[in-house]
Amino acid sequence: MMAEDQRLRAVVALAQAMAAAQTPREFWSAAALGACAALDGSFAALSVWERELGRLKVLVNAGERTPDEEEFPEAETYPVNRFPEITEFLHERWAGGGEPEAWVETAESGGVPGFAAFPLPDPPGAGPVPGGVGPVVPVEARPPGGWAEPGRDSVVPEYGPAPTPARGYRHPSFPVGTGGARGRAAGLRRRGRGCCVVAPIVLHGRAWGELYVARPVGAPVFGRDEAHFATVLAAVVAAGIAQTERLEEVRRLAFTDPLTGLANRRAVDTRLDEALERHRTDGTVVSLVVCDLNGLKSVNDTLGHAVGDRLLERFGSVLSLCGAMLPDALAARLGGDEFCLVCVGPGADEVVRVADELCVRAAELEPGEGVACGVASTGDPIGEIPTARRLFRLADAAQYRAKAARSAKPVVAGRDGAVLRLADTPVRHARERRAFRGVEGLTPPEAP
């Protein structure tokens, strides 16, 4: 009963830690550390199966890491063809309605004390492994630096006499001597670990990845009961991943314009607030390009809203393409026929160059009439920018000037003296084009 209570508490602690995570990395770390503690391990890793690339990618290494193990590795991957238990048996079990099961590997899986197995041409001194597994090389016969071995490691360094292998529970589909066994055993030996339990993570009926928990040499080998518990923990992690994905989708929808797929006004406000905080801290240049798609009302009235929507989508694509010319620029639709680019870092001249390219490309769109484009950048002499509202007001004033002049090029605040005067002029009527963002109690006017 005591053990059951402890496991129940461990499951609750794991679920709570994952629920409290605010970022993907925090979630991965909470999942790995929670499972590691629940199974009394010393190390844990969470990996995802990148199906399109045919590999397992490690998301996090948690616990007692070796010097070559990064906490959040960018490029630690392993070909799944070296792990047939992932790509073959388990997939068939799940496809047939079976349940995934965890299994245990020891540092001596696929080998014998003092030997290591690997599928290479017989090197000097090699002899057969009892049971016909394949060639093995006594430790003293290995070359300096070790022999290449598949799976979790690329090279198995020299080792002294191996400890007497312990007998742990092995998944029945995973016989001694398979490629995955040798690879995982090599990984355990290389990093000074004695055993591991591997639990597949299944999401929406498909293999998502795996949960890997290890213990050091000399610690008790995971037993059958612990392997079953690892399966339960993997299911809890899978439920957490599913919930996180749903929340991410809700978050994505909350910051995305449904028609164009660009960011929306909420996303723009968030990005600008963060960017201006950086500007106040270290002087990072923040620029805002505001565009008004000319002639949209005429298109809607004469050709129908479906054609108008298509024009909005096409301009959204052009805006996205031009935004890609600037590092980390955010392309957004503010609403109606108004769009913008939020640029953080590039100089004002570079932003104006891209805005000019945007005007050229927009003029080629049919049946539109081009865009009116205004630019405001802290890299130009526009005065203090205490809030995002002020930057918006300057960019809107520049856009208003461009629209009134039917300019084919962007108008830039700080380079056109009339823009600053216009931005500082009190609004006389709420329906004027310059009665835009930044005036309390007024809403943006409709497009003409």
Side-chain angles (χ1 to χ4, degrees), residues 51 94 201-208 238-239 241-243 245-246:
R51 289 172 178 268
W94 301 334
I201 297 173
V202 181
L203 194 63
H204 310 309
R206 301 180 68 184
W208 182 91
I241 293 170
Q243 177 67 12
E245 288 185 349
R246 285 192 291 269

Coordinates of all heavy atoms in Angstrom, one line a residue, residues 51 94 201-208 238-239 241-243 245-246:
R51 N 9.0 11.8 -37.8 CA 8.7 10.8 -38.9 C 9.2 11.2 -40.2 O 9.7 10.4 -41.0 CB 7.2 10.6 -38.9 CG 6.6 9.9 -37.7 CD 5.1 9.9 -37.8 NE 4.6 9.2 -36.6 CZ 4.3 7.9 -36.7 NH1 4.5 7.2 -37.8 NH2 3.8 7.3 -35.6
W94 N 0.3 -1.1 -32.0 CA -0.6 0.0 -31.8 C -1.6 -0.1 -33.0 O -2.8 0.2 -32.8 CB 0.1 1.3 -31.8 CG 1.1 1.4 -30.7 CD1 1.1 0.7 -29.5 CD2 2.3 2.1 -30.7 NE1 2.2 1.0 -28.8 CE2 2.9 1.9 -29.5 CE3 2.9 3.0 -31.6 CZ2 4.1 2.5 -29.1 CZ3 4.1 3.6 -31.3 CH2 4.7 3.4 -30.1
I201 N 5.9 6.8 -26.0 CA 4.9 7.8 -25.8 C 3.9 7.8 -27.0 O 4.4 7.9 -28.2 CB 5.5 9.2 -25.6 CG1 6.3 9.2 -24.4 CG2 4.4 10.2 -25.5 CD1 7.1 10.5 -24.2
V202 N 2.7 7.5 -26.8 CA 1.7 7.4 -27.9 C 0.7 8.5 -27.8 O 0.1 8.8 -26.7 CB 1.0 6.0 -27.8 CG1 0.0 5.9 -28.9 CG2 2.0 4.9 -27.8
L203 N 0.6 9.2 -28.9 CA -0.3 10.4 -28.9 C -1.3 10.2 -30.1 O -0.8 10.0 -31.3 CB 0.5 11.7 -29.0 CG -0.2 13.0 -28.8 CD1 -0.7 13.0 -27.3 CD2 0.7 14.1 -29.0
H204 N -2.6 10.3 -29.9 CA -3.6 10.2 -30.9 C -3.4 8.9 -31.7 O -3.6 8.8 -32.9 CB -3.5 11.4 -31.9 CG -3.5 12.7 -31.3 ND1 -4.4 13.1 -30.3 CD2 -2.6 13.8 -31.4 CE1 -4.1 14.3 -29.9 NE2 -3.1 14.8 -30.6
G205 N -3.1 7.8 -31.0 CA -2.9 6.5 -31.6 C -1.7 6.3 -32.4 O -1.6 5.2 -33.0
R206 N -0.7 7.2 -32.3 CA 0.5 7.0 -33.1 C 1.7 7.2 -32.2 O 1.6 7.9 -31.2 CB 0.6 8.1 -34.2 CG -0.6 8.0 -35.2 CD -0.4 9.0 -36.3 NE 0.7 8.7 -37.2 CZ 1.1 9.5 -38.2 NH1 0.5 10.7 -38.4 NH2 2.1 9.2 -38.9
A207 N 2.8 6.6 -32.6 CA 4.1 6.8 -31.8 C 4.5 8.2 -31.9 O 4.7 8.8 -33.0 CB 5.1 5.9 -32.3
W208 N 4.6 8.9 -30.7 CA 5.1 10.3 -30.7 C 6.6 10.4 -30.4 O 7.3 11.2 -30.9 CB 4.3 11.0 -29.6 CG 4.6 12.5 -29.5 CD1 4.0 13.5 -30.2 CD2 5.6 13.1 -28.7 NE1 4.6 14.7 -29.9 CE2 5.6 14.5 -28.9 CE3 6.6 12.6 -27.8 CZ2 6.5 15.4 -28.3 CZ3 7.4 13.5 -27.1 CH2 7.4 14.9 -27.4
A238 N 2.0 11.7 -22.2 CA 1.3 11.9 -23.5 C 0.0 12.8 -23.3 O -0.3 13.6 -24.1 CB 0.9 10.5 -24.0
A239 N -0.7 12.6 -22.1 CA -1.8 13.4 -21.9 C -1.4 14.9 -21.7 O -2.1 15.8 -22.2 CB -2.5 12.9 -20.6
I241 N 1.2 16.3 -23.1 CA 1.6 16.8 -24.4 C 0.3 17.2 -25.2 O 0.2 18.2 -25.9 CB 2.4 15.7 -25.2 CG1 3.7 15.5 -24.5 CG2 2.6 16.1 -26.7 CD1 4.5 14.3 -25.1
A242 N -0.7 16.3 -25.1 CA -2.0 16.6 -25.8 C -2.6 17.9 -25.4 O -3.1 18.7 -26.1 CB -2.9 15.4 -25.7
Q243 N -2.6 18.1 -24.0 CA -3.2 19.3 -23.5 C -2.3 20.5 -23.9 O -2.9 21.6 -24.3 CB -3.2 19.2 -21.9 CG -3.7 20.5 -21.2 CD -5.2 20.7 -21.5 OE1 -5.9 19.9 -22.0 NE2 -5.6 21.9 -21.1
E245 N -0.6 20.8 -26.6 CA -0.8 21.1 -28.0 C -2.2 21.8 -28.2 O -2.3 22.7 -29.1 CB -0.9 19.8 -28.8 CG 0.5 19.1 -29.0 CD 0.5 17.9 -29.9 OE1 -0.6 17.4 -30.2 OE2 1.6 17.4 -30.3
R246 N -3.2 21.4 -27.4 CA -4.5 22.1 -27.5 C -4.3 23.6 -27.1 O -4.9 24.5 -27.8 CB -5.5 21.4 -26.7 CG -6.0 20.1 -27.3 CD -7.2 19.6 -26.5 NE -6.9 19.2 -25.2 CZ -6.6 17.9 -24.9 NH1 -6.5 17.0 -25.8 NH2 -6.3 17.6 -23.6

